[in-house]
Amino acid sequence: MEKYEPLLSVENLQVSFQVRGRELTALRGVDLHMNAGESVAIVGESGSGKSVFTRALTGMLEDNGKITAGSIRFQGQELTALRRERGWQSIRGGGIATVFQDPMMALNPVLTIGKQLTSAIRAHQKCTAKEARERGIEMLRRVGIPNPEKRMEDYPFRYSGGMRQRVVIAIALSCQPKLLICDEPTTALDVTLQAQILALLQELQQELGFGILFITHDLGVVAKMAHRVAVLYAGQIVEQGTVEEIFYDPRHPYTWALLSSLPQLAVGGESLYAIPGTPPSLYGKLTGDAFAPRNPYRLKIDGIKEPPVFSVTPTHTAKTWLLDPRAPKTEKPEAIRELHQKLLDQIREV
Amino acid sequence: MKDPASREVLLSVSHVDIVFGKGKNVHRVVRDATFEIHKGEIFSLVGESGSGKTTLGRAVIRVNPCAAGEILYQGKPLSGNISRNRERELIRKIQMVFQDPTASLNERATVEEILSEGLRNFRLYKTEEERLRKVQSILEAVGLLPEHLHRYPHEFSGGQRQRIAFARAMVMEPELVVADEPISALDVSVRAQVLNLMNDFRRKHQVSFLFIAHDLSVVRFISQRIGVIYQGNIVEIAPAEELFRFPLHPYTRALISAAPIPDPLLERRKVLLTYDPTCHPGGKASLQNIGHGHYVYGTKQELDEYHRLRETKDHIPSITLREER
């Protein structure tokens, strides 16, 4: 398993924003390691800091945000030391590329697809306009756009939603990045297109060997795409493990809650499980476990002291007091036990 | 087309065509759509983007005119030559909830103003106290607190905003609510809240819903019946469990297989089906009842085959798993 070489290692990353004179801490110490060619999914609800994390990785934080502590090492280079746009230019494109949620927002409506594709290639690679064009056509063909020579001259409005997302993927991959960040790339698409785009990403990953950092809140997508999963809550990774560990042996009550709210688990007219309450405000300091107010399994200590990270297996960690040897033994909720069997039965329809 | 269960039919859409454009640029967006919504049921319309599901939903709230066919509400026409009183009544009885709660709520009005607007327009209260009581009780019904009345939409999270949008529709005491992808813009954890809310209103107040969605796996657990629409044609209508047990139309099977399963082992083994619209034999196709409240679109030959499958098979698999290596 450990035959990959390290690609990205993030340690104790903290990001805060100045909002109307108050400090908002969006990331409160994130640790994440990624190997080359690996797919890691980051799961969390809106406001958990998923998108802030990806923006910190590519130096695209808004002006009022800054990295206050921690380090990001990408292929051995310290990214937090990069101060200028110039430095980031060498990372973006050739190193880390991003596919955003809404393909219409990511493309410029007044430039042709060809123009946008070749300008990305020429900005990051040494080549002539003609070579760039050829590479662009090749990329479009690779992502499954029929008749790419002609389609290079079309404007984004002539492409459908799914085709636009393919173009965005073509642009992102045109400079052979080592890490592709996919920030909810299929949320704006319907399920049939989603299945196609996800299959395309998997295919390209096998062929080109880049790592994927997948940001999503859809656990179905996670199950399909990820080797490893990190669950983000209120700016901290509360549980991390292989995809099997997270789905079949989750240890953090927040992961339990996320899995329990899957509509696939509601049987015959019963109400779906909904996580009570809302995520905490990230202004100021949080005391204790950030999930405690919404946690039906909370312990007294959750309100007093922040839980440390416990190791379940060498690949699986969870940040909850429930794993402390002194804590009462707590089983995961009934609804998500034997998840695999339940879903298998549903498919077989017996 | 009478349902054997003979429940009260609230809305009946029959042979509706919806057309955009004129002359050479005419686009037939919905073709020969026929379905019924019963009182107190959630009927889901599922299809990919561009299939005409939203257009059909908008026809029900009388925004898009029908080029052919008619829509009857409680047995009487919904649009066209109708009296002013009936029109006002219909506006109150059929409400809509939109996909994006940020865009559909007036950001400069407080929650109280948003919820009271319809009540004011229809003079649904006698005294100010009564109005306030109505607004407060609906707010409570959607799980928000009385102090939220004086806040503005931007102060709420996405899920809360969508609940305000539901409250705005429900305060009018409608009989039918058209919900156009109300959960697509929401997080998984918040989706459950909104789905539960719909189910509550259905059970407690016998409200019917036309629920428009693109993900069959979400729809399965909330709707009584499901219609699948592909490029303007309704290809299959059946009770929810019937549809999943006997997905007869190839497009329905492709749609079921496209939804990701939240299980890594199964998802890895799942075979993705794709729908090839050229797989049908030529000839005139139509939507026909093949028994068990199950309607499928097809030619005579196909329908006979569907009928045979339905009667002889125990179930029809839509998700096939590869053997594990």
Side-chain angles (χ1 to χ4, degrees):
Chain A
M1 170 103 200
E2 297 300 316
K3 62 188 172 202
Y4 304 112
E5 54 191 68
L7 176 70
L8 175 78
S9 83
V10 177
E11 262 156 38
N12 188 32
L13 184 67
Q14 299 189 21
V15 173
S16 44
F17 293 89
Q18 289 296 327
V19 185
R20 290 187 214 108
R22 293 164 77 195
E23 188 171 26
L24 185 148
T25 317
L27 292 181
R28 302 183 299 133
V30 171
D31 293 284
L32 186 80
H33 300 270
M34 250 183 100
N35 299 318
E38 195 180 30
S39 297
V40 176
I42 297 188
V43 192
E45 49 197 314
S46 1
S48 59
K50 296 175 294 197
S51 295
V52 171
F53 180 63
T54 63
R55 270 187 249 135
L57 289 187
T58 45
M60 291 195 284
L61 288 171
E62 282 90 349
D63 289 342
N64 61 348
K66 67 172 197 294
I67 296 172
T68 48
S71 83
I72 306 169
R73 292 182 74 79
F74 175 71
Q75 293 186 308
Q77 190 186 357
E78 181 59 52
L79 299 188
T80 48
L82 293 174
R83 284 283 171 266
R84 304 218 173 138
E85 266 312 283
R86 278 290 281 276
W88 280 110
Q89 287 293 347
S90 66
I91 299 297
R92 291 181 208 142
I96 305 178
T98 312
V99 174
F100 293 99
Q101 176 171 350
D102 188 343
M104 199 62 219
M105 305 277 267
L107 294 170
N108 186 338
V110 298
L111 294 179
T112 61
I113 294 297
K115 182 95 191 149
Q116 299 186 48
L117 191 48
T118 48
S119 72
I121 295 172
R122 296 203 67 191
H124 296 288
Q125 292 170 323
K126 266 201 184 121
C127 62
T128 64
K130 197 161 166 262
E131 280 165 0
R133 197 184 140 78
E134 273 157 21
R135 279 185 213 177
I137 292 172
E138 187 43 43
M139 270 328 287
L140 285 187
R141 183 172 296 124
R142 195 59 210 79
V143 297
I145 288 180
N147 208 352
E149 288 88 353
K150 263 188 92 185
R151 296 292 267 167
M152 287 284 274
E153 314 310 325
D154 281 339
Y155 288 89
F157 76 89
R158 293 192 149 235
Y159 284 73
S160 67
M163 284 295 168
R164 259 181 233 145
Q165 198 59 293
R166 284 173 196 261
V167 170
V168 174
I169 292 171
I171 294 176
L173 293 180
S174 62
C175 303
Q176 293 98 36
K178 299 291 172 296
L179 174 62
L180 184 70
I181 297 174
C182 298
D183 192 352
E184 310 221 12
T186 57
T187 312
L189 305 176
D190 58 53
V191 279
T192 24
L193 290 173
Q194 168 171 297
Q196 290 170 15
I197 296 286
L198 295 180
L200 174 71
L201 279 171
Q202 278 183 326
E203 219 180 284
L204 291 168
Q205 186 186 25
Q206 265 181 10
E207 191 183 310
L208 304 170
F210 50 85
I212 297 185
L213 186 63
F214 217 94
I215 312 295
T216 181
H217 61 245
D218 188 335
L219 290 168
V221 174
V222 173
K224 186 176 173 67
M225 298 300 291
H227 301 132
R228 285 197 299 125
V229 183
V231 182
L232 201 62
Y233 185 77
Q236 288 181 328
I237 291 181
V238 294
E239 185 163 10
Q240 193 172 160
T242 65
V243 68
E244 286 87 1
E245 284 165 342
I246 297 295
F247 278 84
Y248 305 136
D249 187 25
R251 296 302 179 96
H252 197 283
Y254 180 60
T255 317
W256 295 347
L258 279 182
L259 286 167
S260 306
S261 58
L262 285 170
Q264 282 86 346
L265 296 176
V267 270
E270 256 179 60
S271 292
L272 278 171
Y273 177 78
I275 307 177
T278 47
S281 159
L282 295 172
Y283 287 108
K285 263 191 103 60
L286 288 171
T287 38
D289 186 347
F291 185 56
R294 305 168 77 186
N295 184 0
Y297 303 95
R298 71 178 153 261
L299 306 169
K300 216 183 229 162
I301 190 159
D302 280 329
I304 304 160
K305 203 167 166 222
E306 193 180 311
V309 176
F310 291 94
S311 277
V312 184
T313 69
T315 52
H316 189 179
T317 58
K319 196 176 160 68
T320 168
W321 281 116
L322 290 179
L323 289 175
D324 192 276
R326 287 162 292 174
K329 204 168 152 35
T330 316
E331 288 263 347
K332 61 183 173 181
E334 174 61 41
I336 57 169
R337 284 182 212 155
E338 296 177 22
L339 183 77
H340 182 65
Q341 197 55 44
K342 277 178 191 158
L343 292 169
L344 193 63
D345 288 347
Q346 221 177 72
I347 291 171
R348 296 216 173 113
E349 286 282 38
V350 249
Chain B
M1 298 221 334
K2 257 268 171 289
D3 202 71
S6 76
R7 296 175 55 197
E8 189 187 331
V9 174
L10 189 67
L11 182 90
S12 111
V13 174
S14 54
H15 306 289
V16 163
D17 281 13
I18 299 172
V19 172
F20 289 135
K22 270 183 188 154
K24 262 203 295 189
N25 286 323
V26 72
H27 286 283
R28 199 157 293 259
V29 183
V30 174
R31 266 178 242 108
D32 200 21
T34 302
F35 64 90
E36 285 170 347
I37 298 178
H38 302 152
K39 195 168 162 55
E41 84 168 347
I42 298 179
F43 179 86
S44 295
L45 202 55
V46 184
E48 57 192 29
S49 30
S51 61
K53 53 191 196 298
T54 298
T55 309
L56 207 46
R58 286 164 63 95
V60 171
I61 58 161
R62 311 174 329 132
V63 173
N64 293 335
C66 309
E70 60 177 356
I71 304 180
L72 299 179
Y73 186 79
Q74 290 176 324
K76 282 180 266 169
L78 188 72
S79 53
N81 191 11
I82 58 174
S83 73
R84 207 178 134 65
N85 273 344
R86 166 120 175 118
E87 189 164 10
R88 272 184 74 80
E89 190 189 309
L90 286 171
I91 290 172
R92 185 185 70 76
K93 281 184 175 171
I94 306 178
Q95 290 288 317
M96 177 112 187
V97 176
F98 299 90
Q99 174 170 4
D100 184 354
T102 322
S104 69
L105 296 174
N106 180 354
E107 58 189 288
R108 305 184 73 168
T110 61
V111 171
E112 183 181 352
E113 287 161 24
I114 290 170
L115 299 185
S116 304
E117 191 176 352
L119 295 175
R120 287 215 171 90
N121 290 345
F122 284 84
R123 312 230 161 35
L124 293 179
Y125 55 92
K126 292 192 183 67
T127 59
E128 272 298 291
E129 287 79 53
E130 193 188 344
R131 177 184 64 79
L132 204 59
R133 210 169 46 242
K134 276 192 170 179
V135 168
Q136 273 170 350
S137 76
I138 200 73
L139 204 61
E140 203 190 306
V142 299
L144 295 173
L145 301 170
E147 69 246 37
H148 290 149
L149 271 185
H150 305 292
R151 297 204 189 154
Y152 291 88
H154 73 89
E155 296 175 72
F156 295 92
S157 68
Q160 287 175 322
R161 268 185 230 144
Q162 196 59 295
R163 282 186 274 166
I164 295 170
F166 264 97
R168 174 178 62 181
M170 302 315 299
V171 77
M172 304 299 289
E173 296 168 20
E175 293 169 345
L176 176 67
V177 176
V178 178
D180 189 357
E181 307 219 26
I183 56 164
S184 300
L186 303 180
D187 264 357
V188 182
S189 51
V190 190
R191 278 182 188 185
Q193 297 173 359
V194 173
L195 291 177
N196 286 341
L197 192 64
M198 277 174 64
N199 226 343
D200 276 356
F201 279 117
R202 181 185 73 79
R203 274 196 292 235
K204 287 190 195 138
H205 306 285
Q206 287 289 297
V207 180
S208 311
F209 285 88
L210 173 59
F211 184 61
I212 297 169
H214 65 250
D215 189 346
L216 267 174
S217 62
V218 172
V219 151
R220 175 176 192 174
F221 300 94
I222 184 147
S223 27
Q224 276 64 53
R225 289 189 311 132
I226 300 174
V228 178
I229 183 167
Y230 177 74
Q231 297 203 340
N233 280 315
I234 294 186
V235 295
E236 194 160 2
I237 302 176
E241 277 315 302
E242 165 85 14
L243 188 78
F244 277 87
R245 215 176 157 80
F246 297 100
L248 290 169
H249 198 276
Y251 180 67
T252 310
R253 286 205 291 278
L255 207 54
I256 294 175
S257 89
I261 311 170
D263 181 314
L265 290 177
L266 291 178
E267 189 53 48
R268 232 169 277 158
R269 289 170 58 204
K270 188 180 78 178
V271 181
L272 189 66
L273 303 177
T274 41
Y275 172 58
D276 174 15
T278 58
C279 71
H280 302 288
K284 197 172 153 27
S286 60
L287 187 73
Q288 296 296 338
N289 190 350
I290 59 153
H292 312 275
H294 198 142
Y295 297 82
V296 200
Y297 182 83
T299 58
K300 178 89 179 57
Q301 178 196 349
E302 281 178 306
L303 286 167
D304 289 343
E305 173 65 12
Y306 292 150
H307 188 72
R308 192 187 61 76
L309 282 173
R310 175 65 185 86
E311 296 305 327
T312 53
K313 286 266 170 52
D314 176 48
H315 76 285
I316 294 170
S318 52
I319 294 177
T320 22
L321 298 174
R322 279 183 216 106
E323 281 310 305
E324 259 169 315
R325 270 159 290 178

